[in-house]
Amino acid sequence: MSDESERIAALRPRYRDDLAAGVDRFFEPRRTDCPGAVRPG
């Protein structure tokens, strides 16, 4: 197994646990405006 494959295999349980806890925490609340059209200030 290559170093990269070993690194990925070592991280896999952590990612699996993160996903098992749900994905909502990875996202911000839905926006009602367009972030590209919002003017600062």
Side-chain angles (χ1 to χ4, degrees):
M1 199 182 294
S2 72
D3 288 343
E4 181 72 6
S5 295
E6 290 175 10
R7 187 178 73 79
I8 291 169
L11 290 171
R12 193 167 281 133
R14 180 177 172 188
Y15 283 107
R16 184 177 42 241
D17 291 345
D18 281 345
L19 291 175
V23 296
D24 290 342
R25 61 197 176 101
F26 297 115
F27 298 96
E28 296 179 349
R30 181 177 290 275
R31 293 183 69 140
T32 57
D33 60 348
C34 176
V38 175
R39 293 186 183 164

